[in-house]
Amino acid sequence: MSEVYATRRSRLRERCNAAGTAAALISRPANVRYLAGAAPQGAVLLLGGEQDQLVCPVPPEDRPADGRPDESLVLHILSTPGRDPAVAAADLAGSQGSEALAVEEHHLTVARYRALDAVAPKVRLAGLGTAVEQLRLIKDEEEISCLRIGAEIADQALGELLESILVGRTERHLALELERRLVDHGAEGPAFPTSVATGPNSGRAGHRPTDRRVEEGDFLSVCLGAAYRGYRCEIGRTFVIGTSPADWQVELYDLVFAAQRAGREALAPGAACRDVDRAARQVLDSAGHGAALQAATGHGVGLEIDEDPQLAPAAMGKLDACVPVTVEPGVHLPGRGGVRIDDTLVVRPEADGGPELLTITTKELLAL
Amino acid sequence: MSEVYATRRSRLRERCNAAGTAAALISRPANVRYLAGAAPQGAVLLLGGEQDQLVCPVPPEDRPADGRPDESLVLHILSTPGRDPAVAAADLAGSQGSEALAVEEHHLTVARYRALDAVAPKVRLAGLGTAVEQLRLIKDEEEISCLRIGAEIADQALGELLESILVGRTERHLALELERRLVDHGAEGPAFPTSVATGPNSGRAGHRPTDRRVEEGDFLSVCLGAAYRGYRCEIGRTFVIGTSPADWQVELYDLVFAAQRAGREALAPGAACRDVDRAARQVLDSAGHGAALQAATGHGVGLEIDEDPQLAPAAMGKLDACVPVTVEPGVHLPGRGGVRIDDTLVVRPEADGGPELLTITTKELLAL
């Protein structure tokens, strides 16, 4: 495994060298983990100099779920408790004669940046931009297999919940039960706070569970995901409670399902991100639900639950093969509720069978 | 309640005016909540101009647990999905003729700061420093009563766990069960990820639960807290599993207990933060456990689980009445385990009975 991380770091170093900066400081935790194999609490990665160094505030815990720091890295444990590892790393870079240091300006606060500047006045701070995030876009098969296992775990947890009695239970309790089941099936934990929305709350993006109880006739929308070896995926489904859904429920469900299918079918290497968004969005638009303020109908997943690319009207760029994304249009009617359907898929060329669906729970409208 | 928030904002505005900046942009979520009564996802607060404005990316959900935005605020919902509310607020400040805008440089990233600067080139950006955090230090009785209820909830959840069978269960499952019980008793959720540590993991600060199972003879250390109306508190206890603890366990427990009591007893209005830390730390030091790299033996709590003041060797400043803090020394012996004892207390003058203990679960060494 060590080679994977060393290769990633040398790709980043090539970019830095091309930009005229021999040293780089990586502070964003997901980026540290991507390049170092682990991101102990507060750790930063210093590239350049004789050997790459992982600067940690305290010795890292040895937990398989956290990954292990790549052994080709020098582990540098701070001797001053409470010191900012980024400041210590800039200090190191200065003392090793670095003239310029590329930093993650989209992650460092203005205050930390000033502290870096003050501790190493001879080192010119440059912008690394989102170079590491760009490397993270296209996943290798090892990464995709972590996402696939995470999706299986989420499918299992959701499947079990559907077999239990739901009426009378609160959103909050259903969310906790789903999270327990994720862990039962081998997740490190939820990939993000589990969303359970009933009745008038259903269909809301990112709804946080309340004490409202499931009632007969409700829509129930659920969004959950598992974290597995650091990788995070997402599944969202909407169900109806009771023996038979109302006409408006069937109509709304069919509409969102059609939008979600259109988005899924638009996924292909070379497709523009905004076109995938439009494919899903225009189905809702043409039915008069366009005013719903959903900024994006999907996004990349990986070491973070929301990463590039964004599937949104103003998104630039095109999809590549081996990029995992969500497709998750939804409609929420204030006071009544709504529908969200959310899958994680990996973009694949048509010759390989087209997009690979990771979250396989049925998307038929189930009456529970 | 509205007056509380308006009063807090006018105190902040006085500070800004004294520093020569009429407008301020608050972006740190806990600070937004403190001043606005609610912090909808992504929202920022713009002070100054004719009326204070809460700038939100989407209309806030109406959830009692999130609080409600103070009605004397103008609610400004962005019409462009995906736009950074901080950038929109800087734009507003510019169009309203503000010459200077104080921002939270310890929260804004360098990239966001540049975007603010670019959108409002005529507005000079100044530093607000940690002005809002300083206002948050001393709590009013309403805030303390939220912390008190949160502590009661955590005590209840912990008490119930102790009555159940522990041997054979994993750290991860015990943590999930505690979190479920917190919610059962009325918490919005855990105040922070619940820590359950067994055997060789016990006594580690911030240990994240693993699949290790509780065994006879283990130390079991648990740290949890409830979030109640946004306020977060903390309790930590260490138990021994089996009929009778080993001698080294009793000895270590007594030592950490003595350190924790010394810290608690040092809490008083006017006491230097570093002296409280030293009171606890020197008990461990003199027993040869000083090398343990614990940066602080306690910290403030409130809308965030770790806020000022820090009880640490290099901490500046003194305690005031009505400041809630944790006192949480611990010792971890690599390979063997250890002990942590953690309480949340409110600093009170001796005339009022001295420090008020919020977390009342016994600190006797229980054998479970």
Side-chain angles (χ1 to χ4, degrees):
Chain A
M1 270 309 281
S2 180
E3 273 171 40
V4 172
Y5 304 113
T7 307
R8 290 173 182 173
R9 291 197 302 273
S10 56
R11 287 181 64 197
L12 181 64
R13 229 175 347 234
E14 279 163 27
R15 289 202 182 202
C16 289
N17 285 335
T21 320
L25 172 64
I26 317 299
S27 54
R28 189 171 177 169
N31 290 345
V32 172
R33 177 153 190 174
Y34 183 75
L35 297 170
Q41 181 82 32
V44 302
L45 181 65
L46 179 62
L47 298 190
E50 280 179 28
Q51 257 191 305
D52 296 338
Q53 299 181 67
L54 189 63
V55 183
C56 306
V58 292
E61 275 190 65
D62 188 23
R63 283 167 37 98
D66 295 345
R68 293 212 164 77
D70 176 8
E71 286 174 8
S72 67
L73 291 170
V74 173
L75 213 60
H76 184 100
I77 313 294
L78 296 186
S79 54
T80 315
R83 191 177 193 203
D84 180 348
V87 170
D91 200 356
L92 273 171
S95 66
Q96 288 164 0
S98 294
E99 290 174 4
L101 180 66
V103 300
E104 299 194 287
E105 298 181 336
H106 59 301
H107 179 259
L108 286 182
T109 65
V110 176
R112 288 181 89 186
Y113 186 91
R114 293 220 175 104
L116 261 59
D117 210 30
V119 79
K122 288 185 183 163
V123 180
R124 181 176 54 81
L125 296 181
L128 183 63
T130 57
V132 188
E133 284 84 352
Q134 285 162 41
L135 291 177
R136 284 167 49 197
L137 267 174
I138 298 177
K139 271 69 176 177
D140 64 31
E141 287 304 322
E142 183 71 29
E143 295 180 278
I144 291 173
S145 108
C146 291
L147 287 168
R148 199 181 287 122
I149 294 169
E152 279 174 22
I153 292 171
D155 277 323
Q156 283 176 309
L158 184 55
E160 288 172 0
L161 187 80
L162 300 186
E163 288 169 13
S164 64
I165 290 172
L166 299 170
V167 171
R169 297 169 73 192
T170 68
E171 293 176 355
R172 234 189 265 268
H173 274 103
L174 293 175
L176 284 166
E177 182 171 331
L178 282 167
E179 296 188 352
R180 185 180 60 75
R181 290 184 187 278
L182 291 172
V183 171
D184 277 344
H185 289 294
E188 282 139 35
F192 55 91
T194 299
S195 177
V196 174
T198 62
N201 299 328
S202 60
R204 247 183 195 149
H207 172 76
R208 283 178 297 160
T210 70
D211 289 324
R212 190 182 182 284
R213 291 175 194 276
V214 177
E215 294 174 13
E216 286 285 331
D218 275 357
F219 265 140
L220 168 68
S221 55
V222 172
C223 187
L224 73 158
Y228 183 79
R229 288 175 55 190
Y231 284 82
R232 289 154 199 271
C233 66
E234 189 173 320
I235 178 172
R237 292 290 184 268
T238 300
F239 311 100
V240 76
I241 305 295
T243 43
S244 63
D247 289 348
W248 74 273
Q249 290 179 316
V250 174
E251 212 170 286
L252 191 60
Y253 192 90
D254 288 347
L255 178 72
V256 174
F257 178 79
Q260 204 255 358
R261 187 178 52 201
R264 279 187 282 123
E265 289 176 352
L267 293 176
C273 294
R274 63 169 67 175
D275 290 344
V276 177
D277 174 72
R278 188 165 50 219
R281 195 176 290 269
Q282 72 186 5
V283 175
L284 304 180
D285 269 357
S286 61
H289 295 298
L293 270 172
Q294 192 174 358
T297 56
H299 55 77
V301 295
L303 287 169
E304 291 173 291
I305 189 58
D306 190 352
E307 43 181 66
D308 284 338
Q310 293 294 312
L311 305 181
M316 304 297 280
K318 294 181 174 180
L319 291 174
D320 278 300
C322 300
V323 173
V325 294
T326 67
V327 178
E328 47 172 316
V331 171
H332 175 256
L333 307 176
R336 301 178 76 188
V339 176
R340 296 188 71 77
I341 305 174
D342 183 353
D343 278 313
T344 302
L345 305 99
V346 182
V347 178
R348 303 275 193 191
E350 212 179 312
D352 293 350
E356 178 190 352
L357 182 68
L358 300 186
T359 44
I360 60 172
T361 297
T362 183
K363 288 185 282 284
E364 269 181 89
L365 176 54
L366 298 183
L368 305 172
Chain B
M1 271 306 281
S2 181
E3 273 171 41
V4 172
Y5 304 112
T7 307
R8 291 173 182 172
R9 291 198 302 275
S10 56
R11 286 182 63 197
L12 181 64
R13 227 177 346 235
E14 279 162 27
R15 289 204 182 199
C16 290
N17 286 335
T21 320
L25 172 64
I26 316 300
S27 54
R28 189 171 178 171
N31 290 345
V32 172
R33 179 155 187 171
Y34 183 75
L35 297 169
Q41 181 80 34
V44 302
L45 181 64
L46 180 62
L47 298 190
E50 280 181 27
Q51 255 191 306
D52 297 338
Q53 298 181 69
L54 189 64
V55 183
C56 306
V58 293
E61 273 191 64
D62 187 22
R63 282 168 37 99
D66 296 344
R68 294 215 163 76
D70 175 7
E71 286 173 7
S72 67
L73 289 170
V74 173
L75 212 59
H76 184 99
I77 312 294
L78 296 186
S79 53
T80 314
R83 192 178 193 203
D84 180 349
V87 170
D91 199 357
L92 273 172
S95 67
Q96 287 164 359
S98 294
E99 288 173 6
L101 180 65
V103 300
E104 299 193 288
E105 298 181 337
H106 59 301
H107 179 258
L108 285 183
T109 64
V110 176
R112 287 180 90 186
Y113 186 90
R114 294 220 175 105
L116 260 59
D117 210 28
V119 80
K122 288 185 184 161
V123 180
R124 181 177 55 81
L125 296 181
L128 184 62
T130 56
V132 188
E133 284 83 354
Q134 286 163 39
L135 291 178
R136 284 167 48 198
L137 268 174
I138 297 176
K139 271 69 176 177
D140 64 30
E141 287 303 323
E142 183 72 29
E143 295 181 278
I144 291 173
S145 108
C146 292
L147 287 167
R148 199 180 287 124
I149 294 170
E152 279 172 21
I153 292 171
D155 277 322
Q156 283 176 308
L158 183 57
E160 288 172 1
L161 187 82
L162 300 186
E163 288 169 14
S164 65
I165 290 172
L166 300 169
V167 171
R169 298 169 73 193
T170 69
E171 293 176 355
R172 232 189 266 270
H173 274 103
L174 292 176
L176 284 167
E177 181 171 330
L178 281 167
E179 295 189 353
R180 184 180 60 77
R181 289 184 188 279
L182 290 173
V183 171
D184 276 345
H185 289 294
E188 282 138 36
F192 54 91
T194 299
S195 177
V196 175
T198 62
N201 299 329
S202 59
R204 245 185 195 148
H207 172 77
R208 282 178 299 159
T210 70
D211 289 324
R212 190 181 181 285
R213 290 175 194 278
V214 177
E215 293 175 14
E216 285 286 331
D218 275 358
F219 264 141
L220 168 69
S221 56
V222 171
C223 188
L224 74 157
Y228 184 79
R229 288 176 54 190
Y231 284 81
R232 289 153 199 273
C233 66
E234 190 173 319
I235 178 172
R237 292 290 184 269
T238 300
F239 310 99
V240 77
I241 305 295
T243 43
S244 64
D247 288 348
W248 73 273
Q249 290 178 316
V250 175
E251 214 169 286
L252 191 61
Y253 192 91
D254 288 346
L255 178 73
V256 175
F257 178 79
Q260 204 253 358
R261 188 179 49 202
R264 278 186 283 122
E265 289 176 353
L267 294 176
C273 294
R274 62 169 66 175
D275 290 344
V276 177
D277 174 72
R278 189 166 49 220
R281 194 177 291 269
Q282 72 186 5
V283 175
L284 305 180
D285 269 357
S286 60
H289 295 297
L293 268 172
Q294 193 175 358
T297 56
H299 54 78
V301 296
L303 287 169
E304 292 174 290
I305 189 57
D306 190 351
E307 44 181 65
D308 283 337
Q310 293 294 310
L311 305 182
M316 305 296 281
K318 295 183 174 180
L319 291 175
D320 277 301
C322 300
V323 172
V325 294
T326 66
V327 177
E328 46 171 318
V331 171
H332 175 256
L333 308 176
R336 301 178 76 187
V339 176
R340 298 188 70 77
I341 305 174
D342 184 353
D343 279 313
T344 301
L345 305 100
V346 181
V347 177
R348 303 276 193 192
E350 214 179 312
D352 293 351
E356 178 189 350
L357 181 68
L358 300 187
T359 45
I360 60 172
T361 297
T362 182
K363 288 185 282 283
E364 271 182 86
L365 175 54
L366 298 183
L368 303 173

